[in-house]
Amino acid sequence: MERILHFERAEYATRLAAVKAEMSKRGLDILLISEPPNQNYLTGYDAYSFYTPQMAIVALDRDEPIMITRGMDAASSRITTYLSDDSIRGFPDSYVNSTERSAYEFIAKIVQELGSEKAVIGVEMGGYYYSARAHADLVKALPQARFEDADLLVNWIRLVKSPAELVFMRQAGLIGDAVIKRVIETAEPGVRECDLAAAAYHQEISGTPEFGGTYNSSVVHLCIGERALAPHSTWTDKPLSNNTVINFEIHGTRRRYQINVSRTLYLGKPSIDYVKLADIAIEALNAGLDSVRPGQACSEVFAAFHKVLARNGIEKDQRIGYPLGIGYPPTVAERTASIRREEKTVLQPGMCFHMMTGLWLGDQSVTITQPFAITEKGCEPLTHTPRTLIVK
């Protein structure tokens, strides 16, 4: 069976070593990884199988992680990971959606097999794919173990991207540019909102002539007309009308590495006041980007951005940036650093963020944003669509 690996084995070894070093620092013998992005990061595993329990196990005294999935998805482990057959385990279908037995009992047996029934076990307590029932079942099945919250342990390590990962982030950015272009070309009065969404999705998956895209971790946001005052609306089947604001957030996803980017498109002729608001938003965005450099705290970037708003009598309390990387539903954000007023995380080369500087001011809104990577000297835009209000 042919393996589809997107990184050299040495890259995975470096990632695993960093995770084990942090486990040792925290006194963890075992780390149970329930989050699909973290499983992908450490093993390469990629399949739309996270609707049932699946787990990667990292043990300090074991060379490879163990990947546990539904039995039929073990084939995906053999195709998409570097793991040996002994490190790939599938549970019987009798555990799937069962009211009588738990797949976490199966996972617990593998922990016991590792001789770790009395281990200190880290689990991702805040993860999207680790439920209260999952934890209760593991605790019941491993009564002599001590469980510790290791949420975000892998996420913080993922925050700094390797040169190989940055290649995919840049390719994702090029797909994002193609999607923006497609949305602009498609949007016309009379076009249904759902058809505009379909055009965006087609381009996200089609990608560019050089490389294709794939499904992303979120929906396309089409905030149109009155719904432009809400940040996370989707589409209807209504036709677009003239003199309408369209705030759209789209994605480029390349081998699970994803960028998010937003633009505001105005169909018709915007008012002088609206153009002025867009100009302020763009000036603030550019000021934030210009301030980015290694060694700077996230709060300093926020301050540079907000200084422009304050000069114009505008207040924004929400964060203006979140980290990008491997994306699986329901989010691409790595749940670690944010660019906001009191965030002290220090920026490092290789980190990637979406500077999401949208303004929602009650009766007007504008969303012109920029994904970027931090370099040795500043930042590198990951998309190249001009940061302007688009008028059509």
Side-chain angles (χ1 to χ4, degrees):
M1 183 177 290
E2 180 184 2
R3 292 190 181 251
I4 303 172
L5 296 176
H6 301 314
F7 299 98
E8 297 293 331
R9 180 69 182 269
E11 172 107 0
Y12 291 111
T14 298
R15 299 173 184 181
L16 184 61
V19 169
K20 286 186 174 183
E22 184 62 26
M23 289 170 60
S24 294
K25 189 184 302 182
R26 301 189 188 191
L28 302 177
D29 304 306
I30 296 280
L31 180 62
L32 300 183
I33 300 171
S34 54
E35 289 292 279
N38 294 338
Q39 294 168 355
N40 176 278
Y41 181 74
L42 288 175
T43 72
Y45 183 78
D46 182 29
Y48 204 96
S49 55
F50 39 81
Y51 58 89
T52 61
Q54 59 185 37
M55 192 76 74
I57 302 179
V58 175
L60 284 181
D61 59 358
R62 200 174 193 280
D63 291 338
E64 293 182 351
I66 294 176
M67 189 69 210
I68 306 169
T69 66
R70 183 181 182 183
M72 67 172 59
D73 293 309
S76 292
S77 296
R78 295 186 181 93
I79 293 170
T80 64
T81 79
Y82 63 87
L83 301 176
S84 61
D85 285 347
D86 185 53
S87 298
I88 297 171
R89 311 292 178 89
F91 54 80
D93 235 48
S94 57
Y95 286 100
V96 177
N97 294 341
S98 173
T99 58
E100 300 172 348
R101 57 186 60 83
S102 168
Y104 295 97
E105 297 168 359
F106 182 93
I107 293 168
K109 289 178 182 178
I110 295 176
V111 173
Q112 292 169 338
E113 176 189 315
L114 296 173
S116 302
E117 63 271 12
K118 296 183 181 180
V120 180
I121 301 175
V123 291
E124 297 177 309
M125 292 291 287
Y128 296 110
Y129 293 89
Y130 191 71
S131 67
R133 174 60 59 81
H135 188 68
D137 288 348
L138 281 171
V139 169
K140 182 179 179 181
L142 296 166
Q144 299 183 75
R146 188 172 91 235
F147 286 84
E148 299 286 346
D149 185 7
D151 192 37
L152 304 182
L153 186 156
V154 180
N155 301 56
W156 280 105
I157 293 169
R158 281 172 46 209
L159 184 58
V160 177
K161 308 296 179 292
S162 71
E165 289 179 290
L166 289 171
V167 169
F168 293 146
M169 292 300 294
R170 294 184 186 104
Q171 291 176 350
L174 293 175
I175 293 173
D177 283 326
V179 179
I180 293 174
K181 183 174 183 289
R182 181 73 173 274
V183 170
I184 295 169
E185 291 173 346
T186 305
E188 298 279 358
V191 172
R192 295 185 303 171
E193 293 179 12
C194 53
D195 293 324
L196 185 60
Y201 274 112
H202 179 273
Q203 197 67 54
E204 286 185 355
I205 296 170
S206 179
T208 74
E210 292 75 28
F211 42 78
T214 186
Y215 73 91
N216 54 64
S217 66
S218 178
V219 298
V220 167
H221 293 296
L222 287 178
C223 308
I224 300 172
E226 292 184 353
R227 298 197 323 279
L229 301 177
H232 300 117
S233 291
T234 56
W235 57 88
T236 72
D237 59 359
K238 294 180 180 179
L240 299 173
S241 59
N242 203 18
N243 291 315
T244 298
V245 174
I246 304 173
N247 291 332
F248 62 93
E249 182 174 355
I250 55 84
H251 320 89
T253 307
R254 175 66 171 159
R255 293 178 172 169
R256 300 302 342 136
Y257 285 82
Q258 180 174 314
I259 64 91
N260 292 23
V261 62
S262 296
R263 285 294 181 270
T264 295
L265 168 61
Y266 195 97
L267 292 181
K269 186 176 180 179
S271 68
I272 294 174
D273 286 346
Y274 190 76
V275 172
K276 181 179 179 181
L277 176 63
D279 289 342
I280 293 169
I282 295 164
E283 182 185 356
L285 170 60
N286 289 335
L289 292 169
D290 290 343
S291 75
V292 171
R293 63 183 182 277
Q296 186 180 34
C298 288
S299 58
E300 295 177 85
V301 178
F302 182 92
F305 162 83
H306 199 269
K307 184 178 180 180
V308 176
L309 296 191
R311 190 172 67 238
N312 290 276
I314 299 173
E315 180 71 21
K316 182 177 172 68
D317 290 328
Q318 302 95 346
R319 68 178 180 175
I320 63 164
Y322 53 82
L324 299 172
I326 301 170
Y328 282 87
T331 181
V332 67
E334 293 175 335
R335 300 195 295 126
T336 51
S338 290
I339 301 175
R340 54 185 160 199
R341 195 183 303 275
E342 298 178 355
E343 177 75 48
K344 300 305 181 185
T345 300
V346 174
L347 302 179
Q348 300 177 49
M351 292 180 177
C352 298
F353 285 87
H354 179 205
M355 192 173 283
M356 209 312 165
T357 50
L359 297 178
W360 296 272
L361 303 179
D363 59 347
Q364 292 188 109
S365 64
V366 61
T367 58
I368 300 169
T369 74
Q370 183 62 58
F372 66 93
I374 298 168
T375 67
E376 295 291 341
K377 296 182 179 180
C379 73
E380 172 192 352
L382 293 172
T383 58
H384 303 282
T385 301
R387 296 189 286 271
T388 60
L389 173 66
I390 302 160
V391 179
K392 186 177 180 182

